[in-house]
């Protein structure tokens, strides 16, 4: 952080983050880790995949985030009969006998892709192209999406009948994969109390689109020490069974390791994690803090790991 303006901007981001957490906490009970990772992915210009059983307030969380950040929000319910044009929009013949493009729901700042594994690969690919390119193509014409653009997809871990699991290459587009757990007894009491009485849970707007884009730029400008960069890249390299840094247990427990995108996201996530915790440059602890949700969907366990009941998080813990 060379310039005073950068230091002030970093302090402003930390302050905004704390305010946003407080506002979201007025509506969402618990789920602190989930909220943290959703906000880090927004400020790092990434996308987030939420995995959890129904009824854990995934939709409410995304709606609340969009209100606090004063962003446009669209929810797309993924179903087996959803077509790519239902997401990106389509060309229609106007009264003047010319085709015109009618934008689909993807033309928004925050997209909630609900149950993304319920729709066939062709429709999944339409959304994933928009995530990667920040633009969509219809009838050979490219249409830019509004910025900032952020996709929060949800997946239901039960009821796998009639679903189309996202392939590894498409999972790689998501910065984080975050698992939502059941609330604690105390949290559930609070949830039931809040949702079964008349409560006006309005939230204040903390940031707008321009400020978010400025903060995304700030996160990229944060300097990183060489040892932290090397730690992040080496951590990812350790997940590759035939790589030079692979430990013997990795060769046995993993079939496939993470690609370079994981290293990029580790550094971006660590930068953002550092700033929201009052630091001006990330250290190794920041890399570790974001490693599990970045690596867990990029490594493929072997038969041995499954037989021993080891989760991807257990294996990442061993890599530390």
């Amino acid at each position: 952080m060379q310039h005073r303006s950068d230091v002030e901007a970093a302090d402003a981001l930390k302050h905004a983050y704390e305010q946003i957490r407080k506002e979201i906490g007025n509506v969402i009970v618990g789920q602190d880790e989930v909220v943290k990772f959703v906000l880090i992915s927004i400020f790092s210009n990434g996308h987030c995949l939420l995995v959890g059983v129904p009824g854990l307030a995934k939709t409410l969380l995304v709606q609340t985030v969009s209100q606090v950040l004063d962003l446009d929000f669209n929810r797309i319910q993924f179903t087996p009969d959803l077509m790519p044009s239902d997401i990106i929009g389509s060309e229609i013949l106007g009264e003047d006998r010319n085709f015109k493009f009618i934008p689909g729901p993807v033309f928004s700042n925050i997209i909630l892709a609900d149950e993304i594994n319920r729709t066939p690969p062709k429709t999944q690919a339409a959304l994933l192209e928009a995530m990667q390119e920040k633009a969509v193509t219809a009838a050979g014409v490219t249409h830019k999406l509004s910025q900032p653009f952020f996709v929060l997809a949800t997946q239901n871990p039960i009821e796998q009948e009639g679903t189309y699991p996202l392939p590894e290459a498409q999972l790689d587009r998501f910065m984080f994969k975050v698992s939502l757990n059941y609330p604690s007894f105390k949290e559930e009491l609070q949830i039931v109390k809040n949702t079964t009485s008349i409560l006006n849970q309005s939230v204040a707007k903390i940031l707008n689109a321009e400020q978010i884009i400025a903060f995304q730029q700030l996160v990229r400008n944060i300097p990183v020490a060489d040892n932290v960069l090397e730690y992040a890249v080496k951590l990812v390299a350790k997940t590759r069974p035939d790589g030079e840094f692979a430990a013997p247990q990795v060769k046995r427990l993993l079939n496939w390791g993470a690609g370079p995108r994981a290293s990029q996201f580790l550094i971006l996530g660590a930068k953002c994690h550092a700033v929201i915790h009052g630091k001006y440059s990330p250290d190794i602890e920041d890399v570790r803090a974001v490693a599990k949700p970045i690596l867990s969907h990029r490594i493929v366990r072997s038969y041995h790991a499954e037989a021993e009941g080891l989760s991807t998080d257990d294996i990442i813990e061993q890599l530390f």
Side-chain angles (χ1 to χ4, degrees):
M1 286 273 162
Q2 285 77 23
H3 308 293
R4 184 155 169 247
S5 59
D6 281 351
V7 172
E8 284 167 359
D11 291 340
L13 174 52
K14 178 181 184 281
H15 180 61
Y17 170 79
E18 284 163 0
Q19 282 184 292
I20 292 164
R21 286 288 292 261
K22 196 165 158 240
E23 283 299 319
I24 293 172
N26 292 337
V27 179
I28 303 290
V29 177
Q31 306 292 12
D32 290 342
E33 283 286 281
V34 179
V35 172
K36 178 177 84 173
F37 288 125
V38 166
L39 293 174
I40 287 176
S41 54
I42 290 176
F43 291 128
S44 305
N45 203 4
H47 306 284
C48 198
L49 179 65
L50 292 183
V51 180
V53 296
L56 294 181
K58 296 187 286 284
T59 307
L60 181 62
L61 169 64
V62 188
Q63 274 176 326
T64 309
V65 168
S66 64
Q67 285 167 2
V68 174
L69 300 180
D70 198 12
L71 296 173
D72 292 333
F73 162 74
N74 269 335
R75 177 177 180 266
I76 306 171
Q77 180 63 54
F78 280 72
T79 55
D81 58 352
L82 196 75
M83 301 294 286
S85 59
D86 296 330
I87 294 175
I88 63 174
S90 53
E91 297 268 322
I92 65 160
L93 193 60
E95 290 169 5
D96 56 359
R97 294 264 168 243
N98 286 324
F99 281 100
K100 64 174 179 175
F101 178 68
I102 304 294
V106 79
F107 285 84
S108 193
N109 297 120
I110 294 189
I111 304 296
L112 173 61
D114 226 346
E115 298 195 286
I116 193 171
N117 55 336
R118 289 232 168 271
T119 204
K122 191 176 182 181
T123 308
Q124 288 173 356
L127 177 71
L128 291 153
E129 182 208 354
M131 286 165 57
Q132 184 66 18
E133 310 301 332
K134 307 277 167 98
V136 298
T137 306
V141 180
T142 301
H143 305 271
K144 284 261 174 235
L145 295 171
S146 46
Q147 294 299 322
F149 176 69
F150 173 68
V151 172
L152 216 141
T154 70
Q155 241 176 250
N156 182 347
I158 51 177
E159 288 184 73
Q160 294 302 339
E161 285 290 308
T163 60
Y164 305 85
L166 286 172
E168 272 69 27
Q170 295 187 346
L171 279 174
D172 196 40
R173 306 273 171 93
F174 290 96
M175 178 174 184
F176 291 127
K177 179 186 175 190
V178 186
S179 294
L180 282 87
N181 300 315
Y182 288 111
S184 67
F185 179 73
K186 243 170 105 176
E187 287 169 348
E188 194 158 347
L189 271 178
Q190 191 61 47
I191 291 165
V192 174
K193 211 170 177 179
N194 290 1
T195 53
T196 55
S197 59
I198 299 169
L199 262 183
N200 182 19
Q201 293 175 318
S202 59
V203 291
K205 294 177 175 13
I206 306 291
L207 294 177
N208 59 31
E210 287 75 35
Q211 290 168 308
I212 293 164
I213 291 166
F215 282 141
Q216 287 175 342
Q217 205 55 52
L218 168 78
V219 168
R220 288 194 165 265
N221 285 341
I222 288 166
V224 184
D226 286 348
N227 68 315
V228 178
L229 264 175
E230 282 171 24
Y231 179 81
V233 175
K234 196 174 272 188
L235 183 63
V236 173
K238 279 184 187 173
T239 66
R240 299 169 190 156
D242 33 13
E244 56 178 314
F245 296 108
Q249 80 262 33
V250 166
K251 296 183 180 180
R252 200 171 66 81
L253 297 176
L254 292 181
N255 285 341
W256 207 251
R261 207 179 256 150
S263 306
Q264 294 165 339
F265 282 142
L266 272 180
I267 290 299
L268 275 174
K271 284 180 175 192
C272 190
H273 189 272
V275 172
I276 62 177
H277 288 90
K279 293 184 270 187
Y280 301 121
S281 181
D283 54 30
I284 285 169
E285 283 310 306
D286 294 303
V287 175
R288 287 185 172 198
V290 296
K292 284 181 185 173
I294 287 175
L295 294 174
S296 65
H297 57 300
R298 292 183 163 87
I299 57 179
V300 180
R301 292 177 302 159
S302 69
Y303 165 75
H304 296 290
E306 290 183 25
E308 289 170 32
L310 289 172
S311 69
T312 49
D313 282 358
D314 296 331
I315 297 167
I316 296 163
E317 197 67 50
Q318 288 186 23
L319 295 178
F320 289 159

